[in-house]
Amino acid sequence: MFSMLAARMGPRLAFSARPVSFTRLLVGVAPKPLVAASARAFVTSRTVLLPAKASSGTKKPATTKKPAAAKKPAAKKKPAAKKKVAAKKPAKKAAKKKAAPKKDSPVIVPHSMIPPKPHALTPRALFFSGAFNGAKVFTMTTEEKRASFTKAHDDYKALSNAEREALVQAAQKNRDSFNAALTTWFEQTPYAIRKEVLARMKKRGARRLRKPRNIDPSQPKRPLSAFFRYSVETRPSIPGSPNAVLTTIGANWKTLSENEKQPYKEAADREMAEWKAAKAAAHAE
């Protein structure tokens, strides 16, 4: 293939084939090496000759490399401490779920087993219940209620001793009947219903019911002390509210001399001795 190209191109092939041998003819006096940079787009294109970079005649002395500093021996790494493996705790056995306690069915309280309600157990409450008997208190306004209660309070203060004594006796009868009914309720009502009733009363903030003390009416009553004997005798002649009357009686008792107190003390001592003897005889039986 080369021979065919030489035959066709003639002297041009010799010029392009040996570019370095003709440098003297092309450049002139100072021959410089040419570098053939062939960028052929076709087989017959000429080679473009470019001048090479001028190189300085003196070579730079090779720089002596400094000896590398001796590396310090690497410090030996301490062996890593072995991590303590925590001992696995034995898995807790799943606690058996306790069955939720069954809720007790609500206790139904029959109407016949509702405890008795106290009514007018004191003289004052009895007087007010009579004063407002038939009056429509719930339909009154606040001012009307206030005026009615003020009038009833003034009327109660204006009562005589005989009228108050009647109220005291009537209130005592109400207390006796209420205590008897309450005792019967405690004795005849089943425990579950009593418990339910008392729990409901406690929840709504009502006063707790207690079984009345069983006092035998046939047993002799404890006699009065000397002061209470004096109080029973002098109370009807002293006007005022109960608190004012008791305050006045106490002040009068302190002003009495020993000779004036002696009859009351002797009567109290005599009745106390009789009461103790009767009590001992009742226990002996």
Side-chain angles (χ1 to χ4, degrees):
M1 184 178 179
F2 184 77
S3 60
M4 291 174 65
L5 290 174
R8 287 184 180 182
M9 298 187 68
R12 287 181 297 177
L13 181 62
F15 178 80
S16 62
R18 290 187 298 273
V20 178
S21 61
F22 294 99
T23 54
R24 292 180 181 273
L25 298 173
L26 295 175
V27 179
V29 179
K32 294 182 180 180
L34 297 178
V35 179
S38 60
R40 294 185 180 185
F42 187 68
V43 178
T44 59
S45 62
R46 290 186 179 185
T47 303
V48 180
L49 301 177
L50 299 176
K53 291 182 179 181
S55 59
S56 57
T58 59
K59 293 184 178 180
K60 292 182 180 180
T63 55
T64 57
K65 293 183 179 180
K66 295 181 179 180
K71 294 183 179 180
K72 295 181 180 179
K76 292 183 179 180
K77 294 183 179 180
K78 294 182 179 179
K82 293 182 179 180
K83 294 182 179 180
K84 293 183 179 180
V85 180
K88 292 184 179 180
K89 296 181 180 179
K92 293 183 179 179
K93 294 182 179 179
K96 294 181 179 180
K97 292 183 179 180
K98 295 183 179 179
K102 295 182 179 180
K103 293 183 178 180
D104 298 335
S105 56
V107 180
I108 300 175
V109 180
H111 184 74
S112 59
M113 293 186 179
I114 295 176
K117 295 182 180 180
H119 176 67
L121 303 183
T122 61
R124 185 185 183 87
L126 185 60
F127 176 80
F128 273 73
S129 63
F132 288 97
N133 189 16
K136 297 180 180 180
V137 181
F138 296 101
T139 59
M140 293 181 180
T141 62
T142 305
E143 295 179 357
E144 291 176 350
K145 289 180 181 180
R146 189 176 300 168
S148 300
F149 277 101
T150 303
K151 183 178 181 302
H153 181 69
D154 295 339
D155 294 344
Y156 180 76
K157 284 185 175 181
L159 292 178
S160 62
N161 293 331
E163 292 174 337
R164 288 194 180 187
E165 189 63 28
L167 290 175
V168 169
Q169 294 177 2
Q172 183 62 41
K173 288 181 181 179
N174 290 346
R175 277 199 300 273
D176 293 341
S177 61
F178 170 72
N179 289 339
L182 189 59
T183 303
T184 304
W185 182 81
F186 269 98
E187 292 176 353
Q188 297 181 1
T189 306
Y191 173 75
I193 295 179
R194 287 205 317 267
K195 183 179 179 181
E196 180 67 18
V197 170
L198 296 177
R200 292 180 186 179
M201 294 179 68
K202 183 179 180 180
K203 188 174 182 180
R204 69 171 183 263
R207 188 176 180 181
R208 184 180 177 184
L209 288 178
R210 297 180 182 274
K211 185 179 180 180
R213 292 182 297 174
N214 187 15
I215 300 175
D216 188 0
S218 62
Q219 294 291 330
K221 293 184 179 180
R222 187 183 183 91
L224 299 176
S225 63
F227 170 74
F228 279 101
R229 284 179 175 277
Y230 174 77
S231 174
V232 170
E233 288 184 5
T234 58
R235 177 176 293 179
S237 61
I238 301 174
S241 62
N243 293 335
V245 169
L246 291 176
T247 303
T248 304
I249 292 174
N252 295 341
W253 174 259
K254 290 180 180 180
T255 58
L256 295 178
S257 62
E258 289 296 329
N259 294 332
E260 292 173 337
K261 293 180 181 179
Q262 191 63 29
Y264 301 104
K265 290 182 178 180
E266 290 178 356
D269 293 341
R270 182 174 61 255
E271 290 188 4
M272 180 62 70
E274 294 174 359
W275 175 76
K276 289 183 178 179
K279 189 176 180 181
H283 280 295
E285 293 177 0

